[in-house]
Amino acid sequence: GRAVIEYRRDRDLWALRVQRSLDLTNDFRNPYDSGSTLGALLGRDNYDYLDRKSVTLHWLRFLGSRQRTQMRFETGYATDGDVQVHLMRSPLGLREDFRPNRPVREGSYARNAFTLEYRPDVSLEFLRSGLGARFYYERADGTLDYQRAEARLTVRSSRGPISLGARLDVGLTNPGAPPQQLFELGKNQNLPGYDYKEFAGDQAAVFRALALWRLPYLGAPIRLTNRF
């Protein structure tokens, strides 16, 4: 749950957010990936979670003539807590038992973050063509102490029935960062030959490519009768 107060004027957006969230610790996720709902109901939940309480002040500014670039500063205070599995498997009884949730290092910290993002609507998973980029830096000082930086570059192009795309993610954090801030990679990052979070460390890079060919069937509109 969360409570948010927002004020926007022209290109600036201010927000004060107080929340308690079941945050994901998975890395390099899709832009709109907020966790597993239908997948967990069907018996698969390839995510790990932590209990985070936070108070954060945001300042967001839209840049450029078409406001395609976003610059955001965040400052606040947060507390991370461990989460245990309470439901052992899908309520429908499908597939295998859920995995145990990976432990985190508990503690409180002052948190400051900076994000610069160009065209967040361009991603490898969706159809919008063009170039997209994101840089993110976060610093924590307190019981939990770390610095973490991420960068993402995405390009996608469509020519007739063919779509080509590529995405590069890189990340760096302190060697002694809490487990929830280390980079963990596996089949969730389109590496199907590896297990879930098979690799973990303080440096990471993943390159993904995509090629789609649209078949000439079932194109819109599908006309059943003259009026339907």
Side-chain angles (χ1 to χ4, degrees):
R2 65 184 178 186
V4 182
I5 299 174
E6 289 187 350
Y7 172 75
R8 178 168 182 176
R9 183 175 182 179
D10 298 328
R11 295 171 176 261
D12 296 304
L13 174 67
W14 295 86
L16 176 64
R17 176 176 297 176
V18 180
Q19 70 177 12
R20 180 179 182 182
S21 57
L22 193 64
D23 274 359
L24 305 178
T25 64
N26 297 54
D27 300 297
F28 301 152
R29 305 196 311 272
N30 299 339
Y32 300 105
D33 180 4
S34 59
S36 182
T37 302
L38 181 60
L41 188 64
L42 297 177
R44 174 172 292 178
D45 185 16
N46 286 332
Y47 294 89
D48 287 291
Y49 305 88
L50 59 78
D51 179 7
R52 177 167 289 153
K53 307 178 185 71
S54 61
V55 178
T56 310
L57 177 65
H58 300 250
W59 173 56
L60 174 66
R61 183 168 178 83
F62 298 91
L63 306 175
S65 58
R66 303 179 67 177
Q67 300 190 26
R68 290 182 169 184
T69 302
Q70 301 176 9
M71 180 175 63
R72 182 169 69 245
F73 289 93
E74 305 172 44
T75 185
Y77 192 80
T79 300
D80 287 359
D82 207 7
V83 174
Q84 301 298 320
V85 175
H86 298 287
L87 190 64
M88 300 310 298
R89 64 184 309 160
S90 163
L92 303 179
L94 301 175
R95 303 181 67 90
E96 66 277 359
D97 290 349
F98 293 137
R99 296 175 302 93
N101 193 60
R102 296 196 173 200
V104 303
R105 188 185 304 168
E106 298 186 321
S108 302
Y109 51 96
R111 175 181 174 274
N112 295 282
F114 168 75
T115 306
L116 183 64
E117 191 163 14
Y118 172 69
R119 293 202 64 186
D121 57 332
V122 176
S123 70
L124 190 62
E125 298 76 21
F126 300 99
L127 297 178
R128 184 65 59 86
S129 298
L131 176 69
R134 179 180 185 267
F135 173 77
Y136 174 78
Y137 172 77
E138 178 181 355
R139 179 186 176 110
D141 297 281
T143 308
L144 301 182
D145 188 19
Y146 63 88
Q147 297 184 66
R148 177 183 169 113
E150 297 180 23
R152 180 179 71 223
L153 180 64
T154 306
V155 61
R156 181 158 185 153
S157 177
S158 297
R159 294 293 183 270
I162 299 176
S163 293
L164 301 174
R167 170 177 167 178
L168 174 66
D169 290 277
V170 295
L172 177 69
T173 188
N174 298 90
Q180 59 266 35
Q181 296 298 335
L182 295 177
F183 294 96
E184 299 170 306
L185 307 179
K187 61 183 178 182
N188 274 33
Q189 286 73 35
N190 302 107
L191 303 173
Y194 300 95
D195 290 334
Y196 172 75
K197 291 188 175 182
E198 183 167 344
F199 304 102
D202 56 8
Q203 303 176 45
V206 178
F207 177 77
R208 320 178 209 196
L210 174 72
L212 293 176
W213 178 47
R214 187 177 68 250
L215 297 173
Y217 308 112
L218 299 180
I222 301 173
R223 191 174 300 280
L224 302 180
T225 71
N226 288 336
R227 295 188 178 183
F228 184 67

